[in-house]
Amino acid sequence: MSEVKAYGAKASDADLEQLNIKRRTPLATDVHIEIDYCGVCHSDIHQVRNDWKNSKYPVIPGHEIIGHVVAVGSEVTKFKTGQQVGVGCMVDSCQNCEACDEGLEQFCENGMTATYNGKDKHLGGHTFGGYSEEIVVDEKFVLNVPDNLDIKAVPPLLCAGITTWSPLRQWNVQKGDKVGVVGLGGLGHMGIKFARALGAQVVMITTSPEKSEDAEKLGADEVLISKDDKQMKEHANSFDFILNTVPVGHDVNPYLNLLKRDKTMVLVGAIEPLKGVNGGALIVKRKRLAGSLIGGIEETQEMLDFCGEHNIVSDVEMIDIQTINTAYERVVNSDVKYRFVIDMQSLKK
Amino acid sequence: MSEVKAYGAKASDADLEQLNIKRRTPLATDVHIEIDYCGVCHSDIHQVRNDWKNSKYPVIPGHEIIGHVVAVGSEVTKFKTGQQVGVGCMVDSCQNCEACDEGLEQFCENGMTATYNGKDKHLGGHTFGGYSEEIVVDEKFVLNVPDNLDIKAVPPLLCAGITTWSPLRQWNVQKGDKVGVVGLGGLGHMGIKFARALGAQVVMITTSPEKSEDAEKLGADEVLISKDDKQMKEHANSFDFILNTVPVGHDVNPYLNLLKRDKTMVLVGAIEPLKGVNGGALIVKRKRLAGSLIGGIEETQEMLDFCGEHNIVSDVEMIDIQTINTAYERVVNSDVKYRFVIDMQSLKK
């Protein structure tokens, strides 16, 4: 199941019926969106390939969705036809638990509804994502996108953006803080941009010296090559915060050594077991290892508004849906700067 | 070097000279203490046996010291002759760095002076600890001991006590919080007492069902057997704080699973590498793994005062110095409830 069939304009009603994909009749609180662009997230690939053993087929991936409103339900107050909007990783939650009350729908105690491959409360079956012509979403999960941004480069903000924004805000990164960003990919490149815009002294921490030039272009004040013991020693106990975007299990001890006393490294990528975390590294200077998962809707809107104010977008490479399988291979090989975005007009080709 | 020679009263001036142990002439800011009791900490054994490869011989261990003041220097203001006092893990620090300014002398950026096996600023060589008749310490590192406490059971407060008190305070454990204490030994038994006295709902988490009765006597509201998958599942995502006192590398993932979202487990014992910490466990509910190391002098005094108010002491077994080697074996075999305390009068036998 590693091939994606691009139905495009050929996805007739009969095709959809055969695939058991139903169209949702918009409710009074729904926003009907025609999708213009959709980002390609690594988790799309994991789901398509059933890497996490929880995929439901057919998978229609995509949770970095940008489009325009074509219709709104009678009770919708925040959006109007023609407005430029976004949809991220979630399309629903219970709205009635401690997490939802705190604006942390991603931690909904009754289970948030993922944009695709989530449990569809309305139609039964599972949800379908943004590699599509249209989507219907409750207005609570629709985001306003500032008009001044280059819209083609906005989709990744809805996943890579909020994933890196949220920990920087949770841990209160301030002007002048020395912030490390480990790993330069879709997440890392956003981490650099945000930390820089927040006024931090940003150090890109990477195994690859060849990434230095790009890191500096993206806003890093300095590049620290983690394979260079001398450099690592010079930076020991000097960081106020480290954002670790490495997407696989790895040895975090060299990075923990970089933190000041009482400071934190937050993981946003590595959901796998980490190599023997050194308990002593945490104890001796009361360091902290934490995690963070995307962000709530309110926080996502805050991030988009911040991007509007600071003119921040992602670095993207535009593709047509017809080349999605090649794009997936390139994502797996880290051969993209830094996110693919699908032009959804290509579905009509 | 696993045998300790108990010099006792036989340590003549000639013995000391042969061992290159000098007596410090008290300075104006010094407190001269006759030692009554000294607790036996596991780290005493590590140092005596050079487990950490940094021991300097001769080692005179002991950093859980209780005694009475026999003389004070001319500038000493806080102590007077006859007063009951304590000395913990540190006898000096630079008093002139960010950590010292914050009252966190244990993290002194110029290196705190450990009570034994530390670098002696006054006499050169290294410091000697509390398995001794007397000690001379700057008043800043001398602690007042509330009169109402059973003094024989106070020494372990100065290491095991502050080590467990500090993280409970740092992480702001409150009345009604569900607090787990992992491991029932010298540290764990103090963790239970403190968490209980702070008004928490205390759950002892242990691999050993036979420890249940003792845990409840010490103040645990409940005992959770960590080998019992069903029990562990029932308690998943329910703890506000976990104090992990396990002294060796171990699998922390089952304990991380017990934490609520955004909550923290603090390590105070395991300075070794931990088995593959599951990054996903930290990311999915923004959990935190942190460390803590003893506590500052001000915090130690706060802890002793709290013990005075709540009549908290350690559970101890008294020994004479002559049985110290047997006691060490028993500590290594976890065969003590929960701390040995040496009656220093036995030095005169």
Side-chain angles (χ1 to χ4, degrees):
Chain A
M1 196 63 200
S2 69
E3 283 295 293
V4 175
K5 184 171 177 190
Y7 274 87
K10 284 170 279 177
S12 65
D13 286 351
D15 286 331
L16 295 185
E17 197 173 331
Q18 195 194 344
L19 290 165
N20 198 26
I21 296 176
K22 295 170 201 147
R23 287 180 198 273
R24 165 162 154 198
T25 308
L27 306 171
T29 54
D30 277 346
V31 179
H32 189 164
I33 301 161
E34 198 167 287
I35 300 173
D36 296 312
Y37 303 103
C38 185
V40 174
C41 173
H42 206 133
S43 50
D44 296 353
I45 304 173
H46 289 305
Q47 291 280 5
V48 162
R49 297 182 176 178
N50 199 19
D51 289 339
W52 297 332
K53 307 298 173 205
N54 65 354
S55 298
K56 294 178 195 80
Y57 295 98
V59 173
I60 299 185
H63 58 206
E64 298 180 347
I65 299 169
I66 290 292
H68 58 276
V69 178
V70 290
V72 295
S74 58
E75 291 171 22
V76 168
T77 58
K78 292 194 299 178
F79 300 97
K80 56 177 195 272
T81 303
Q83 190 173 344
Q84 189 166 273
V85 292
V87 176
C89 302
M90 303 178 280
V91 289
D92 210 347
S93 74
C94 83
Q95 297 287 318
N96 193 29
C97 68
E98 210 176 296
C100 288
D101 286 350
E102 288 179 41
L104 297 169
E105 298 86 356
Q106 75 270 39
F107 301 117
C108 173
E109 287 153 30
N110 297 300
M112 60 90 160
T113 304
T115 300
Y116 65 89
N117 234 326
K119 192 174 171 184
D120 191 324
K121 287 190 212 169
H122 297 279
L123 301 175
H126 61 279
T127 52
F128 301 108
Y131 294 14
S132 179
E133 292 173 329
E134 54 185 351
I135 192 165
V136 174
V137 179
D138 186 287
E139 74 165 330
K140 286 200 191 74
F141 290 80
V142 179
L143 298 144
N144 180 45
V145 178
D147 286 330
N148 62 310
L149 296 176
D150 174 5
I151 198 67
K152 291 181 180 179
V154 170
L157 297 178
L158 295 160
C159 172
I162 185 61
T163 297
T164 49
W165 172 259
S166 180
L168 291 166
R169 296 286 287 158
Q170 276 168 64
W171 293 90
N172 200 23
V173 165
Q174 298 283 325
K175 193 172 171 177
D177 282 353
K178 183 171 173 181
V179 170
V181 177
V182 185
L184 182 50
L187 295 170
H189 98 288
M190 288 311 308
I192 294 174
K193 291 184 185 208
F194 287 140
R196 173 68 176 237
L198 287 166
Q201 178 199 347
V202 185
V203 181
M204 175 73 225
I205 306 171
T206 175
T207 52
S208 318
E210 65 275 15
K211 292 192 176 170
S212 299
E213 200 179 318
D214 272 14
E216 282 165 8
K217 270 188 210 155
L218 289 163
D221 296 286
E222 199 173 340
V223 177
L224 170 54
I225 305 303
S226 55
K227 285 178 187 163
D228 183 330
D229 289 344
K230 186 165 166 281
Q231 277 189 37
M232 289 293 275
K233 214 168 174 176
E234 283 166 7
H235 284 269
N237 302 313
S238 71
F239 281 80
D240 294 290
F241 184 77
I242 297 178
L243 177 67
N244 183 324
T245 73
V246 178
V248 293
H250 62 289
D251 181 3
V252 297
N253 294 314
Y255 308 121
L256 291 174
N257 287 340
L258 296 174
L259 289 170
K260 285 184 189 165
R261 167 174 58 80
D262 286 323
K263 299 300 182 185
T264 304
M265 176 161 76
V266 171
L267 305 170
V268 291
I271 58 167
E272 300 170 359
L274 307 169
K275 278 188 197 165
V277 173
N278 187 349
L282 298 170
I283 290 173
V284 170
K285 284 189 183 280
R286 300 202 305 203
K287 296 177 180 182
R288 301 158 181 193
L289 180 64
S292 184
L293 180 74
I294 50 176
I297 294 299
E298 192 181 329
E299 203 176 27
T300 306
Q301 188 62 61
E302 175 198 72
M303 178 270 304
L304 286 169
D305 294 344
F306 181 89
C307 287
E309 283 160 34
H310 294 263
N311 203 26
I312 294 172
V313 290
S314 298
D315 285 21
V316 302
E317 182 177 336
M318 301 302 297
I319 56 166
D320 286 348
I321 190 68
Q322 288 76 9
T323 63
I324 188 69
N325 290 305
T326 313
Y328 276 11
E329 286 310 313
R330 287 184 54 200
V331 169
V332 169
N333 296 323
S334 304
D335 175 25
V336 55
K337 287 177 180 178
Y338 282 92
R339 215 61 162 181
F340 286 114
V341 169
I342 311 165
D343 180 346
M344 281 305 157
Q345 288 299 317
S346 63
L347 279 173
K348 297 176 183 158
K349 279 185 185 171
Chain B
M1 198 61 201
S2 69
E3 282 296 292
V4 174
K5 183 171 178 188
Y7 274 88
K10 284 171 275 180
S12 65
D13 286 351
D15 285 332
L16 296 186
E17 197 172 331
Q18 195 194 344
L19 291 165
N20 198 24
I21 296 176
K22 295 170 200 146
R23 288 179 197 273
R24 165 162 154 197
T25 308
L27 307 171
T29 54
D30 277 346
V31 179
H32 188 165
I33 301 162
E34 199 169 285
I35 300 174
D36 297 311
Y37 303 103
C38 186
V40 175
C41 173
H42 206 134
S43 51
D44 296 353
I45 304 173
H46 288 306
Q47 290 280 4
V48 162
R49 298 183 175 178
N50 199 19
D51 290 338
W52 296 333
K53 308 295 173 208
N54 64 355
S55 299
K56 295 179 195 78
Y57 295 99
V59 173
I60 299 185
H63 57 206
E64 298 180 346
I65 299 169
I66 290 293
H68 57 277
V69 177
V70 291
V72 294
S74 59
E75 291 171 22
V76 168
T77 57
K78 292 194 299 178
F79 300 97
K80 56 176 195 271
T81 303
Q83 191 173 344
Q84 189 167 272
V85 293
V87 176
C89 302
M90 304 178 281
V91 290
D92 211 348
S93 74
C94 83
Q95 298 287 318
N96 193 28
C97 68
E98 210 177 295
C100 288
D101 287 349
E102 290 180 38
L104 297 169
E105 298 87 355
Q106 75 271 38
F107 301 117
C108 173
E109 285 153 30
N110 297 301
M112 61 89 161
T113 304
T115 299
Y116 65 90
N117 235 324
K119 192 174 172 184
D120 191 323
K121 286 189 211 167
H122 298 278
L123 300 175
H126 61 279
T127 53
F128 300 107
Y131 295 12
S132 179
E133 292 174 329
E134 54 184 350
I135 192 164
V136 173
V137 180
D138 186 286
E139 72 164 331
K140 286 199 192 74
F141 289 81
V142 179
L143 297 144
N144 181 45
V145 178
D147 286 331
N148 62 311
L149 296 175
D150 174 6
I151 197 68
K152 292 181 179 179
V154 169
L157 298 178
L158 296 159
C159 172
I162 185 61
T163 298
T164 49
W165 172 258
S166 180
L168 291 167
R169 297 286 287 159
Q170 275 168 65
W171 293 91
N172 200 24
V173 165
Q174 298 283 325
K175 192 172 171 177
D177 281 354
K178 183 171 174 181
V179 171
V181 177
V182 185
L184 181 51
L187 295 171
H189 98 288
M190 288 312 308
I192 294 175
K193 292 185 185 209
F194 286 141
R196 173 70 176 235
L198 288 166
Q201 177 199 346
V202 185
V203 181
M204 175 71 225
I205 305 171
T206 174
T207 52
S208 318
E210 65 275 15
K211 290 192 177 171
S212 298
E213 199 180 320
D214 272 14
E216 282 166 7
K217 270 189 210 153
L218 290 163
D221 295 286
E222 198 173 342
V223 177
L224 170 54
I225 306 302
S226 55
K227 286 177 186 164
D228 182 330
D229 289 344
K230 187 166 163 280
Q231 276 189 38
M232 290 293 276
K233 215 167 173 179
E234 282 165 8
H235 284 268
N237 303 313
S238 72
F239 282 80
D240 294 289
F241 184 77
I242 297 178
L243 178 66
N244 183 325
T245 74
V246 178
V248 293
H250 62 288
D251 181 3
V252 297
N253 294 313
Y255 309 120
L256 291 173
N257 286 340
L258 296 174
L259 290 169
K260 285 183 190 165
R261 166 174 58 81
D262 285 323
K263 300 300 179 185
T264 305
M265 177 161 76
V266 171
L267 304 171
V268 291
I271 58 167
E272 301 169 358
L274 307 169
K275 278 189 196 164
V277 173
N278 186 349
L282 297 171
I283 290 173
V284 170
K285 286 190 183 277
R286 298 201 306 205
K287 296 178 180 183
R288 301 159 181 189
L289 181 64
S292 184
L293 180 73
I294 51 174
I297 294 299
E298 192 182 329
E299 203 176 27
T300 307
Q301 189 60 62
E302 175 198 72
M303 179 270 304
L304 287 168
D305 295 343
F306 181 88
C307 288
E309 284 161 34
H310 293 264
N311 202 27
I312 293 172
V313 290
S314 298
D315 286 21
V316 303
E317 181 177 336
M318 301 301 298
I319 57 167
D320 286 349
I321 190 69
Q322 288 76 8
T323 63
I324 188 70
N325 290 306
T326 313
Y328 276 11
E329 286 310 314
R330 287 184 52 200
V331 169
V332 170
N333 296 323
S334 304
D335 175 25
V336 55
K337 288 177 179 179
Y338 282 93
R339 216 56 161 183
F340 287 113
V341 169
I342 310 165
D343 180 347
M344 281 305 157
Q345 288 299 319
S346 63
L347 279 173
K348 295 174 185 161
K349 279 186 186 170

